[in-house]
Amino acid sequence: MKKLFGVDFGTGGCKATVIDLEGNILASAFQEYPSEHKKPGWSEQDPALWIEAFINTVTACRTQMNDGFGGMLGLAVTASTHNAVLLDGNGQVIRHCIMWNDQRSGEQCRYLKEKHGEEIFKIGMQMPTPTWTLPQLQWVRENEPENYKKIRRLMFTKDYIRSWVTGDFCTDIVDAQGSLLFDARKQCWSEELCNMVGLPVEVLPEIRKTKEIVGTVREEVSKQTGLPGGLPVIAGCSDTAAEDFSAGAVKNGQIIIKLATAGNVNLVTDQAVPHDKTFTYPYSVEGKWYTVTATNSCASAYRWMRDSLYPAEKEQCDREGRDVYLLMDEQAASVELGCQGLLFHPYLLGERCPYFNPNARGDFFGVSMIHKKGHFARALLEGVAFSLYDCLQVLKEFTDNMEDIVIIGGGAKSPLWCQIVSDIFGLEVKMPQNAESSFGGALLAGVGVGAFADELEAAGKCIRMKKTYYPDMENHKKYMELFEIYKEIADMSGSVWKKLAEFSA
Ligand SMILES: Nc1ncnc2c1ncn2[C@@H]1O[C@H](COP(=O)(O)OP(=O)(O)O)[C@@H](O)[C@H]1O
Ligand SMILES: O=C(CO)[C@@H](O)[C@H](O)COP(=O)(O)O
């Protein structure tokens, strides 16, 4: 049987998925890995753990299929976006990777915005925020000059892993666009932007198309994983670009709500629509773009709650082979809408849309003697959904068509959360059958190796919807009342966030 393979490195873990040419899942495996938060607002990962997760998940997939990787046509690696892996002259990782949700470069952003804001936006189509590689590099330059001097190569997460698989040195235009080192108009690295942080352009990888075959599986990797040596590997793209595609979003005007580490409300567009409150990316569907409004901590906030409030329950569920998130959902579902006045703001790692404030902090507001764990769980689900609703308000500047919305990401496994989002948005949302970045990556690999004529054919043959969530408009009305209070608290918190940042510096 002919097969395609996608391996995705989300911020929370690695998912590997093997599909056939009709989009049926033949094998899948998942492995979580940690982020390190050494200081409030900091977020790093150890690239060695990605390679380990690749070997484990790929091997697990092989053992799930009677004929192993027989019939495999191609592989795609995707990952959370534009995290810079810095390599020295011997190809060794210089320091752990500063992730896209790391907030330490707030000061560097302020400087870059003041000094070069207009020029940066004109070239890169993005405003400097701590998400991007450019200000993060400036932070390393100022704070770890000895590390900065050692940089001979810079790769992004998916490129680092794919390079280990094939030996190539390249990236694709989606990741390049997220670096803020890229000239989005000319579609090449920008000397001007690189000069701003004293980075020689030569350390950056060659830029290829997402679906281009850029190498083949090395024999050494074949021995470690069972992947066929010589298997074609495409350049790949960001997890979001692959995941939005996997949800069937291929047309102008389609909206995707993503409940992953990041929360996204994205819009597919025919052209780039740069704006200072959104992010602008070329899409995995060639020729299209997507506009992103984003909240930094979405499903990761639920994982944080799992690890900090539910460790005993998790241990027990793990022993019994149950999913602790189901138990958290059950507790949350037993609590009434609005949690009797308990509100949550999910700004656990600063916030992007609409505040763009690296100092923003999360909170539970309105705690009273009546509140139990289930209230906190529900308040978290509602608070994240409010934060996404905040994003939607920004996106409404770009479209008034709210009829074609899909919901994806690990958090969408929770029917309760999807319903809360639908109620808060007051909109119908559809859930695809297999939306995962690894599934989307496998489809893109199929396009790259010629198994499908193009992205539209792949989508038409393989992507199916599973369920629709309909909003309860009575609930929507109550939520809108609560949203006003949610906003009031966030709007008045700016000076407190600043003081807390100074206090904990
Ligand atoms: N059953 C569930 N209910 C709610 N949230 C879940 C469930 N299963 C997983 N999640 C959330 O999904 C997240 C992982 O989603 P994923 O899309 O893989 O994220 P990422 O790509 O950022 O790693 C976890 O952090 C977890 O909080
Ligand atoms: O696009 C960005 C950063 O600009 C992020 O949204 C990451 O790509 C997050 O991916 P997940 O791990 O949340 O899937």
Side-chain angles (χ1 to χ4, degrees), residues 361-379:
R361 291 286 184 114
D363 61 61
F364 281 101
F365 200 97
V367 187
S368 133
M369 286 289 193
I370 52 166
H371 289 125
K372 307 218 160 32
K373 250 167 151 177
H375 291 92
F376 286 86
R378 186 177 182 112

Side-chain angles (χ1 to χ4, degrees), residues 30 51 147 157 193 213 239 269 281 307 317 348 359 393 418 424 493 505:
F30 175 69
I51 302 291
N147 280 340
T157 301
L193 294 175
I213 297 170
D239 54 358
T269 58
Y281 279 103
D307 296 340
C317 285
L348 304 184
N359 294 331
Q393 306 320 303
C418 292
I424 288 182
S493 297

Side-chain angles (χ1 to χ4, degrees), residues 10-13 243 260-261 299-300 302-303 323 325 329 409-411 413-414 417:
T11 313
E243 198 166 1
T261 298
S300 49
Y302 212 33
R303 173 164 159 177
D323 184 352
Y325 288 117
D329 270 12
K413 285 188 207 148
S414 158
W417 210 350

Side-chain angles (χ1 to χ4, degrees), residues 16-31:
T17 302
V18 179
I19 62 169
D20 65 18
L21 299 192
E22 285 164 359
N24 300 304
I25 309 278
L26 303 177
S28 71
F30 175 69
Q31 180 173 323

Side-chain angles (χ1 to χ4, degrees), residues 65 129 138 239 248 253 293 331 337 350 378 382 386 400 456 463:
M65 294 176 291
T129 77
Q138 182 61 18
D239 54 358
T293 56
Q331 290 192 4
L337 181 158
R378 186 177 182 112
E382 293 180 340
F386 280 140
D400 48 15
L456 293 186
I463 297 170

